Amino acid sequence: MGIWGELKLENLYRNPDGNPIFWDEVLLDAVLAESNLTLLLNTQVDTLHREGCRVSAVEGTQQGTEKKITVEADWFLDAAGDGTLGALAGLPYYLGEQLVVPGQEPEPPFELLGSSLLFYTEKTDRPVTFHAPAYAWSREKSGGAAAGRGTYRRTNHEWQRLLVV
């Protein structure tokens, strides 16, 4: 069954209605439980270092904190959805429907999609059970910071959303 199968089974347990927001929570919970994985959310990679044909390190800036981060590793996975590492490594990529080859100027016009947000609502005839991810704070742990579900607090010059259950 493998890792993907385990994640899908966990999603069926926690998320029988197939809510895509809850699927994200299942994935994040699994990633945070993995000790050998470095997750850098809201980090834009802007520099790539190579040793021969191999990527040896990447540098990026974390949004919000403006912290500069360097990661050295044997393997890298670009899960940003825009192919940044491939483009920085000098590989051809698509901008909209147009193939961009490094060293050649792409020709406008570009037909690109805009940004989007996902809101998910569904009317049901029964209560929907929410299984909190492992990283969610209990009301006791939040120290009374949350009168209701999901409040904001200021820490280290950043606003953090607390998931309180």
Side-chain angles (χ1 to χ4, degrees):
M1 175 162 68
I3 295 171
W4 195 246
E6 288 179 28
L7 289 170
K8 288 168 67 175
L9 279 176
E10 183 69 19
N11 188 52
L12 283 173
Y13 166 69
R14 290 192 191 187
N15 183 17
D17 296 321
N19 184 323
I21 305 298
F22 291 169
W23 171 238
D24 287 350
E25 299 294 341
V26 169
L27 293 176
L28 182 58
D29 213 16
V31 167
L32 293 175
E34 186 60 46
S35 62
N36 293 329
L37 193 132
T38 302
L39 176 66
L40 301 172
L41 295 173
N42 302 319
T43 303
Q44 180 176 345
V45 174
D46 50 35
T47 306
L48 180 138
H49 299 281
R50 292 198 277 189
E51 293 176 3
C53 294
R54 188 180 77 77
V55 175
S56 58
V58 295
E59 295 178 20
T61 305
Q62 196 169 47
Q63 299 170 9
T65 63
E66 298 183 11
K67 180 179 177 183
K68 193 74 169 167
I69 297 170
T70 301
V71 176
E72 296 177 355
D74 293 328
W75 298 91
F76 292 90
L77 172 67
D78 183 352
D82 56 9
T84 301
L85 291 183
L88 289 172
L91 300 173
Y93 60 93
Y94 281 91
L95 184 60
E97 294 182 349
Q98 184 177 355
L99 179 65
V100 177
V101 179
Q104 297 179 9
E105 195 65 32
E107 296 180 24
F110 302 112
E111 294 184 22
L112 305 175
L113 297 174
S115 297
S116 64
L117 296 173
L118 172 64
F119 294 93
Y120 185 87
T121 60
E122 180 180 4
K123 184 173 180 159
T124 64
D125 57 357
R126 60 183 167 69
V128 176
T129 303
F130 175 69
H131 299 278
Y135 63 84
W137 286 14
S138 66
R139 290 185 189 272
E140 294 76 31
K141 185 177 179 183
S142 71
R149 291 187 185 268
T151 61
Y152 292 88
R153 73 171 189 175
R154 179 102 179 175
T155 56
N156 297 333
H157 308 291
E158 294 181 281
W159 286 100
Q160 293 181 339
R161 178 131 167 85
L162 300 177
L163 178 58
V164 180
V165 293

